[in-house]
Amino acid sequence: MDKIKSFEDLNCWKTARELRKEISILILKFPSHEKFELISQMRRASRSVTHNIAEGYGRFHFKENAQFCRISRGSLYELSDQLITALDEGYIEEDYYKKLKIKVVECIAILNGYIKYLTSATQTQ
Protein backbone atom coordinates (compact mmCIF):
# COMPACT_ATOMS: atom_id res chain seq x y z
CA MET A 1 0.00 0.00 0.00
CA ASP A 2 3.03 2.36 0.01
CA LYS A 3 2.23 3.53 -3.55
CA ILE A 4 -1.02 5.07 -2.36
CA LYS A 5 -0.67 8.85 -2.24
CA SER A 6 -4.32 9.81 -2.65
CA PHE A 7 -7.75 8.24 -2.47
CA GLU A 8 -7.61 8.36 -6.27
CA ASP A 9 -4.95 5.63 -6.14
CA LEU A 10 -7.24 3.20 -4.31
CA ASN A 11 -8.60 0.38 -6.45
CA CYS A 12 -11.91 0.48 -4.58
CA TRP A 13 -12.32 4.17 -5.48
CA LYS A 14 -11.32 3.63 -9.11
CA THR A 15 -13.77 0.77 -9.55
CA ALA A 16 -16.57 2.70 -7.84
CA ARG A 17 -15.83 5.71 -10.05
CA GLU A 18 -16.32 3.60 -13.17
CA LEU A 19 -19.61 2.28 -11.80
CA ARG A 20 -20.72 5.82 -10.91
CA LYS A 21 -20.01 7.00 -14.45
CA GLU A 22 -22.00 4.09 -15.88
CA ILE A 23 -24.94 4.85 -13.59
CA SER A 24 -24.82 8.52 -14.65
CA ILE A 25 -25.21 7.49 -18.29
CA LEU A 26 -27.90 4.92 -17.49
CA ILE A 27 -30.20 7.26 -15.57
CA LEU A 28 -30.30 9.72 -18.47
CA LYS A 29 -32.48 7.16 -20.25
CA PHE A 30 -35.04 6.84 -17.45
CA PRO A 31 -38.46 8.49 -17.81
CA SER A 32 -38.70 12.10 -16.64
CA HIS A 33 -41.27 11.24 -13.96
CA GLU A 34 -38.46 9.39 -12.13
CA LYS A 35 -36.34 12.57 -11.91
CA PHE A 36 -37.01 13.13 -8.21
CA GLU A 37 -37.43 9.46 -7.41
CA LEU A 38 -35.26 6.64 -8.74
CA ILE A 39 -32.95 8.88 -10.79
CA SER A 40 -32.12 11.02 -7.78
CA GLN A 41 -31.71 8.01 -5.50
CA MET A 42 -29.38 6.19 -7.90
CA ARG A 43 -27.33 9.32 -8.50
CA ARG A 44 -26.93 9.90 -4.75
CA ALA A 45 -26.14 6.25 -3.96
CA SER A 46 -23.52 5.95 -6.71
CA ARG A 47 -21.90 9.21 -5.67
CA SER A 48 -22.00 8.26 -2.01
CA VAL A 49 -19.73 5.29 -2.69
CA THR A 50 -16.80 7.35 -4.00
CA HIS A 51 -17.48 10.30 -1.69
CA ASN A 52 -17.29 8.17 1.43
CA ILE A 53 -14.14 6.35 0.29
CA ALA A 54 -12.52 9.76 -0.26
CA GLU A 55 -13.73 11.16 3.05
CA GLY A 56 -12.58 8.09 4.96
CA TYR A 57 -9.17 8.30 3.35
CA GLY A 58 -8.90 11.91 4.51
CA ARG A 59 -9.52 10.98 8.14
CA PHE A 60 -6.03 9.44 8.50
CA HIS A 61 -7.21 6.96 11.13
CA PHE A 62 -7.75 3.35 10.14
CA LYS A 63 -10.89 2.94 12.26
CA GLU A 64 -12.60 6.03 10.91
CA ASN A 65 -11.54 5.19 7.36
CA ALA A 66 -13.02 1.69 7.70
CA GLN A 67 -16.30 3.14 9.00
CA PHE A 68 -16.65 5.41 5.96
CA CYS A 69 -15.88 2.42 3.73
CA ARG A 70 -18.68 0.50 5.43
CA ILE A 71 -21.02 3.36 4.56
CA SER A 72 -19.80 3.09 0.95
CA ARG A 73 -20.55 -0.63 1.03
CA GLY A 74 -24.06 0.11 2.24
CA SER A 75 -24.53 2.51 -0.67
CA LEU A 76 -23.45 -0.24 -3.06
CA TYR A 77 -26.13 -2.53 -1.64
CA GLU A 78 -28.65 0.30 -1.94
CA LEU A 79 -27.62 0.78 -5.57
CA SER A 80 -28.02 -2.95 -6.15
CA ASP A 81 -31.63 -2.76 -4.96
CA GLN A 82 -32.24 0.31 -7.12
CA LEU A 83 -31.00 -1.62 -10.15
CA ILE A 84 -33.53 -4.34 -9.34
CA THR A 85 -36.21 -1.63 -9.20
CA ALA A 86 -35.07 -0.32 -12.60
CA LEU A 87 -35.30 -3.86 -13.98
CA ASP A 88 -38.73 -4.44 -12.44
CA GLU A 89 -40.01 -1.13 -13.85
CA GLY A 90 -38.74 -2.05 -17.32
CA TYR A 91 -36.15 0.74 -17.49
CA ILE A 92 -33.29 -1.70 -18.16
CA GLU A 93 -33.05 -5.06 -19.85
CA GLU A 94 -32.13 -8.24 -17.95
CA ASP A 95 -28.73 -8.54 -19.69
CA TYR A 96 -27.74 -4.98 -18.81
CA TYR A 97 -28.95 -5.48 -15.23
CA LYS A 98 -26.73 -8.56 -14.92
CA LYS A 99 -23.72 -6.64 -16.29
CA LEU A 100 -24.21 -3.84 -13.77
CA LYS A 101 -24.85 -6.30 -10.94
CA ILE A 102 -21.47 -7.90 -11.66
CA LYS A 103 -19.84 -4.46 -11.43
CA VAL A 104 -21.55 -3.78 -8.11
CA VAL A 105 -20.42 -7.15 -6.73
CA GLU A 106 -16.88 -6.43 -7.94
CA CYS A 107 -16.92 -3.06 -6.16
CA ILE A 108 -18.13 -4.71 -2.96
CA ALA A 109 -15.40 -7.38 -3.14
CA ILE A 110 -12.62 -4.82 -3.66
CA LEU A 111 -14.03 -2.59 -0.93
CA ASN A 112 -14.27 -5.55 1.45
CA GLY A 113 -10.58 -6.22 0.83
CA TYR A 114 -9.73 -2.62 1.68
CA ILE A 115 -11.90 -2.74 4.81
CA LYS A 116 -10.12 -5.94 5.85
CA TYR A 117 -6.75 -4.22 5.34
CA LEU A 118 -7.88 -1.20 7.41
CA THR A 119 -9.26 -3.44 10.16
CA SER A 120 -6.04 -5.41 10.41
CA ALA A 121 -4.01 -2.19 10.41
CA THR A 122 -6.14 -0.93 13.30
CA GLN A 123 -5.34 -4.07 15.30
CA THR A 124 -1.58 -3.64 14.79
CA GLN A 125 -1.52 -0.04 16.03
Side-chain angles (χ1 to χ4, degrees):
M1 284 266 169
D2 21 318
K3 294 180 184 177
I4 305 296
K5 295 181 178 162
S6 164
F7 66 86
E8 295 170 88
D9 297 324
L10 297 170
N11 287 333
C12 57
W13 183 86
K14 290 177 189 178
T15 308
R17 179 184 182 204
E18 290 306 312
L19 177 62
R20 185 189 72 218
K21 291 187 323 189
E22 187 132 9
I23 295 298
S24 292
I25 293 166
L26 169 67
I27 60 179
L28 292 174
K29 301 171 188 170
F30 285 9
S32 61
H33 69 270
E34 289 287 5
K35 183 176 182 180
F36 300 108
E37 300 284 333
L38 190 58
I39 291 172
S40 176
Q41 292 168 339
M42 290 180 78
R43 180 180 293 120
R44 285 184 288 116
S46 65
R47 289 177 179 178
S48 172
V49 179
T50 55
H51 294 339
N52 279 294
I53 292 169
E55 186 170 356
Y57 182 86
R59 295 298 174 123
F60 299 113
H61 295 287
F62 294 118
K63 260 186 171 175
E64 275 187 291
N65 193 344
Q67 182 56 31
F68 278 91
C69 288
R70 288 184 193 99
I71 294 167
S72 289
R73 184 173 56 198
S75 294
L76 284 164
Y77 280 99
E78 179 182 0
L79 187 58
S80 182
D81 183 61
Q82 291 160 348
L83 288 169
I84 293 168
T85 301
L87 176 67
D88 292 347
E89 295 292 325
Y91 302 151
I92 57 175
E93 297 294 323
E94 180 86 25
D95 290 345
Y96 193 54
Y97 162 76
K98 288 178 182 176
K99 177 185 168 196
L100 289 173
K101 178 70 174 178
I102 289 168
K103 289 185 178 196
V104 170
V105 170
E106 178 186 9
C107 282
I108 291 169
I110 294 169
L111 191 56
N112 280 340
Y114 186 50
I115 292 168
K116 185 176 180 180
Y117 161 76
L118 293 169
T119 304
S120 67
T122 299
Q123 294 168 353
T124 60
Q125 276 186 328

